[in-house]
Amino acid sequence: MVIAAPSGGGKTAVRAKLLECDKRFRFSITCTTRPSRAGEADGRDYYFVTAARFSALRRNGKLLEWAKVHGNLYGTPISSVAKLLQKGFIPVMTIDVKGARSVKRIFPETVTVFLLPPDLSTLTARLKKRRESPENIRIRLRTARNEIKEAEFFDYLVINDLLGEAAAGIRKIADIECLKVSRRRAEIRKFSRELAKLRL
Ligand code: 5GP
């Protein structure tokens, strides 16, 4: 599952809430060339890599998608997603809007969720709370103007007003998606094989 939002949309907080309350989900860690911020840990929040390492990963086809966001490179390692899928978890990717569309293009079965704050004043207030400079806030709002146009290419829209409700919305989406016939072929095949064995 891919969760994207304009900057300040609350992806990280919603993800944390989701992982805390539903063990079906696991965070699929991405890699970045941006330096770590205070409180961030390598291998937990991101894989912090050098520009050289990033281009090697890209060249060797190890990234599902990659993007330049605010001057830094970010990419989704195929191995992160594959490992989680093998273990039966729902990988949660919190990536930018363009990255979300790339993942959907490569794997159309990926569920994409667009997170939106309840209104513009909430978005601005969240950016201010993060102590972004006025210039940065302007840049992010300008980016948001373009990002929101991409919302219509997503499968679901979740309004991030109260964290718990946003996480509950995403859990509901997973419940519904897990019931889709296209995701349950193995069960149908098993039943079908058993029926075929009957001497009728
Ligand atoms: P930040 O530097 O604030 O952690 O992240 C900046 C933006 O990059 C956020 O929108 C974040 O979701 C996005 N991002 C993080 N990892 C990836 C990735 O692997 N691919 C893409 N396309 N975007 C990413």
Side-chain angles (χ1 to χ4, degrees):
M1 177 179 281
V2 171
I3 303 176
S7 181
K11 283 185 297 256
T12 313
V14 169
R15 179 183 80 209
K17 187 75 186 170
L18 184 65
L19 298 181
E20 175 198 310
C21 63
D22 193 325
K23 300 302 170 206
R24 288 176 297 174
F25 296 95
R26 280 282 194 289
F27 175 38
S28 177
I29 304 167
T30 60
C31 57
T32 181
T33 58
R34 122 163 128 60
S36 63
R37 296 183 187 130
E40 285 183 333
D42 185 41
R44 186 191 66 196
D45 301 285
Y46 278 108
Y47 297 115
F48 294 100
V49 296
T50 60
R53 172 90 185 118
F54 193 95
S55 45
L57 288 169
R58 211 171 68 190
R59 249 194 342 267
N60 296 325
K62 305 283 187 201
L63 301 179
L64 180 54
E65 60 76 43
W66 66 275
K68 195 171 196 174
V69 186
H70 305 129
N72 295 301
L73 297 168
Y74 295 83
T76 307
I78 295 173
S79 59
S80 296
V81 185
K83 272 185 212 151
L84 294 176
L85 286 173
Q86 268 161 18
K87 291 182 187 163
F89 292 117
I90 304 173
V92 178
M93 291 172 253
T94 44
I95 60 181
D96 85 319
V97 170
K98 281 210 185 89
R101 282 192 73 186
S102 306
V103 175
K104 184 78 178 176
R105 205 167 38 241
I106 301 164
F107 291 114
E109 67 274 26
T110 308
V111 178
T112 55
V113 178
F114 197 88
L115 265 189
L116 207 56
D119 47 48
L120 181 57
S121 59
T122 310
L123 176 64
T124 316
R126 283 182 188 160
L127 289 172
K128 282 187 181 151
K129 208 170 147 196
R130 281 179 8 182
R131 298 180 189 284
E132 298 283 359
S133 66
E135 176 54 14
N136 254 346
I137 293 181
R138 242 194 326 273
I139 292 173
R140 281 161 197 266
L141 289 176
R142 212 178 293 138
T143 310
R145 204 187 261 166
N146 291 322
E147 286 176 328
I148 200 157
K149 289 184 196 147
E150 305 273 330
E152 66 174 293
F153 299 106
F154 281 66
D155 299 317
Y156 296 94
L157 176 74
V158 169
I159 302 297
N160 177 20
D161 188 359
L162 299 174
L163 268 190
E165 282 179 18
I170 295 174
R171 294 175 71 192
K172 255 186 243 162
I173 292 168
D175 291 342
I176 295 295
E177 285 291 331
C178 289
L179 292 176
K180 280 192 170 164
V181 167
S182 56
R183 298 186 196 278
R184 308 189 70 180
R185 303 239 188 269
E187 285 164 76
I188 297 170
R189 272 200 301 270
K190 180 171 175 278
F191 206 106
S192 173
R193 272 198 306 273
E194 284 166 3
L195 274 177
K197 280 187 211 150
L198 286 182
R199 290 186 187 204
L200 299 171

